[in-house]
Amino acid sequence: MKILVTGGTGYIGSHTCVELLSAGYEIVVIDNFSNSKRDVVDKIKMITNKDFTFYEGDCCDKDILTKMFDKNDIGAVIHFAGFKAVGESVNEPLKYYRNNLDSTITLLEVMKEHGCKKIVFSSSATVYGKPDSLPIKEDFPLSTTNPYGTTKLMIEDILRDLYKSDNTWSIALLRYFNPIGAHTSGLIGENPNDIPNNLMPYIVKVATGELEILSVFGNDYDTKDGTGVRDYIHVVDLSKGHIKAIEKVLSESGIDAYNLGTGNGYSVLEIVNTFMKVNGVDVKYKIVDRRPGDIDACFADPSYAKEKLNWEATLGIEDMCRDSYNYVKNVKED
């Protein structure tokens, strides 16, 4: 029995492939490299010293998905594949609705046709919109503020409806907070093909001289230092959450949602200052206007994932900053 990982060469997908292989699972991976690099396939094999079957293709393509299921004994799926840039989704909503919904519906159709009814879905804390209180619990009201988040919530709704229609499905909805960091080997990490969407890639670009200065959006939020607070989680911790979710869906039917975060809120300036301290580098920054729609703070209550999945984050902010820089230095040396 193998685990299919869609979008398996992306940032979170590649780290999850490493954790799956290290835990003894056999995997099949599909990716179209729309936001990842081809050499990630070899790097996953290098880190784990294990081989796996890889398909280059798009999850909107029913033929290639059918071929994969016909040729491999796939028992469960972890579904990462999808566009994920919030800003781009606002500018190109049709692109996001077409790709993210079509790829998921096509995948679910093929899974159903092959009697594979176990899936872990890569959702997001964006499904909580602007929460009324903190920390965020899984039973909070759901809403969205951009098309990217709306596709995540719509897919959650699709999966809930699918389970209502057939309760032999087993589905885990993993709502991520803010992944940063990289594998300690320095071989894989966050390396988007296009403009970064997150804070850490910008910090490392300034640290390595690729960018002159970091823009910090706003210093008048209702937080300890005036900059926005988010729940940053190490990508390796996040990936290990997928292993626990796979164990869950393989052992029982049902559908449930889980927050994957640390439960700690770190401000932008805390991240910047910690990065400078642990790596011994200078990161110049300037305060600029707030971005529209940004909220003061956002962090998880991860206790439900601990209770139901036996998972919790163990790596701290210093690990996240150190591993992020180590990866980028390694890439530049290559």
Side-chain angles (χ1 to χ4, degrees):
M1 189 273 291
K2 297 180 180 179
I3 309 295
L4 170 61
V5 184
T6 73
T9 64
Y11 177 40
I12 304 170
S14 60
H15 287 80
T16 301
C17 287
V18 167
E19 296 302 322
L20 285 165
L21 291 166
S22 299
Y25 290 95
E26 291 187 76
I27 64 172
V28 180
V29 177
I30 182 171
D31 208 306
N32 63 2
F33 302 115
S34 67
N35 197 29
S36 59
K37 307 288 192 296
R38 293 177 184 276
D39 64 1
V40 171
V41 175
D42 293 330
K43 288 179 177 178
I44 294 169
K45 294 176 181 179
M46 197 182 307
I47 292 168
T48 60
N49 199 29
K50 293 186 178 180
D51 200 5
F52 58 89
T53 304
F54 177 79
Y55 292 83
E56 182 176 353
D58 195 307
C59 287
C60 295
D61 181 349
K62 190 169 186 177
D63 289 341
I64 193 168
L65 291 180
T66 300
K67 175 183 171 184
M68 291 170 66
F69 275 85
D70 286 346
K71 292 194 171 186
N72 299 277
D73 176 23
I74 296 171
V77 176
I78 303 180
H79 182 38
F80 292 106
F83 296 149
K84 63 173 189 174
V86 169
E88 183 185 49
S89 78
V90 174
N91 294 326
E92 298 188 62
L94 296 182
K95 174 180 176 180
Y96 273 67
Y97 287 117
R98 168 64 73 188
N99 180 76
N100 292 4
L101 298 179
D102 192 6
S103 60
T104 305
I105 292 168
T106 304
L107 172 65
L108 293 170
E109 286 174 345
V110 175
M111 288 176 67
K112 184 178 178 182
E113 289 165 7
H114 288 80
C116 176
K117 297 182 179 181
K118 301 177 185 299
I119 185 169
V120 175
F121 173 57
S122 166
S123 191
S124 166
T126 56
V127 300
Y128 295 114
K130 297 178 181 177
D132 291 332
S133 62
L134 294 171
I136 296 170
K137 295 177 179 286
E138 286 84 354
D139 61 359
F140 273 29
L142 304 178
S143 65
T144 60
T145 59
N146 57 73
Y148 160 73
T150 305
T151 66
K152 291 296 188 184
L153 184 52
M154 290 175 77
I155 292 167
E156 284 198 10
D157 286 339
I158 289 167
L159 290 166
R160 279 186 278 267
D161 286 341
L162 182 61
Y163 178 73
K164 283 178 192 171
S165 73
D166 178 358
N167 62 14
T168 62
W169 279 82
S170 185
I171 301 166
L173 311 172
L174 301 186
R175 295 172 180 163
Y176 311 157
F177 280 70
N178 295 70
I180 57 176
H183 193 267
T184 52
S185 66
L187 289 172
I188 57 173
E190 188 168 18
N191 192 15
N193 287 343
D194 47 19
I195 298 169
N197 307 304
N198 308 315
L199 173 64
M200 187 56 75
Y202 282 106
I203 292 175
V204 296
K205 283 178 182 292
V206 176
T208 57
E210 192 175 333
L211 284 177
E212 184 182 347
I213 195 164
L214 173 73
S215 293
V216 175
F217 297 101
N219 66 344
D220 57 350
Y221 287 104
D222 185 17
T223 61
K224 48 194 159 187
D225 61 21
T227 62
V229 167
R230 298 292 181 268
D231 189 338
Y232 295 95
I233 177 172
H234 199 297
V235 68
V236 172
D237 274 335
L238 185 62
S239 300
K240 289 178 178 176
H242 292 75
I243 311 303
K244 294 295 188 181
I246 276 290
E247 291 172 4
K248 184 78 168 176
V249 300
L250 288 174
S251 65
E252 60 188 65
S253 60
I255 182 168
D256 216 342
Y258 309 92
N259 288 336
L260 296 190
T262 64
N264 297 310
Y266 300 109
S267 74
V268 172
L269 289 185
E270 279 183 297
I271 296 288
V272 171
N273 291 327
T274 302
F275 186 95
M276 289 193 285
K277 183 183 80 174
V278 300
N279 295 311
V281 294
D282 188 38
V283 176
K284 293 181 180 178
Y285 65 87
K286 63 180 178 180
I287 306 297
V288 298
D289 290 342
R290 292 187 184 196
R291 291 178 300 192
D294 274 355
I295 57 179
D296 293 351
C298 176
F299 54 92
D301 178 346
S303 57
Y304 192 68
K306 183 177 181 180
E307 176 192 346
K308 297 296 185 180
L309 300 180
N310 192 29
W311 171 89
E312 63 181 325
T314 60
L315 297 168
I317 184 174
E318 293 192 353
D319 301 299
M320 301 177 208
C321 292
R322 185 181 299 111
D323 293 340
S324 294
Y325 192 48
N326 180 51
Y327 168 68
V328 172
K329 286 192 297 183
N330 201 42
V331 169
K332 286 196 171 292
E333 287 168 5
D334 288 350

